[in-house]
Amino acid sequence: GVTGVQTCALPISANFILFHIEQDGVTADTINEALKKHNIIVRNCDSYMGLSNQWVRVAIKDHDNNVRLVDTLTEILKV
């Protein structure tokens, strides 16, 4: 996992990961803008009932893309 990010396991049948950003000063918009520079798009979940701009949804891809996501998040969050 990535330090500063908490994943949330929900009983659904979807190929998404929902995660909560726990690092002060970092929002879903911050993550999205940084990841766009690496051609990775995530969704800010602040429009979902009960969630805030500290929640991000990302599609689960193949192994290589998932590793790239984790590596890029680690770099962005400098953890």
Side-chain angles (χ1 to χ4, degrees):
V2 177
T3 302
V5 172
Q6 174 188 8
T7 58
C8 181
L10 300 174
I12 57 174
S13 296
N15 61 339
F16 295 100
I17 297 173
L18 179 66
F19 64 88
H20 182 251
I21 304 161
E22 298 182 328
Q23 194 172 66
D24 289 337
V26 178
T27 67
D29 291 330
T30 307
I31 296 292
N32 193 28
E33 288 303 313
L35 288 175
K36 278 184 188 178
K37 295 174 185 173
H38 298 273
N39 296 316
I40 301 170
I41 306 298
V42 297
R43 172 145 184 175
N44 179 340
C45 294
D46 65 353
S47 63
Y48 295 175
M49 185 182 296
L51 301 182
S52 68
N53 68 348
Q54 297 300 114
W55 290 91
V56 176
R57 186 185 82 173
V58 62
I60 298 170
K61 303 284 185 170
D62 60 57
H63 177 76
D64 291 341
N65 281 313
N66 291 336
V67 169
R68 187 167 68 96
L69 171 65
V70 170
D71 289 348
T72 307
L73 276 174
T74 300
E75 177 185 321
I76 290 166
L77 296 171
K78 304 213 181 341
V79 292

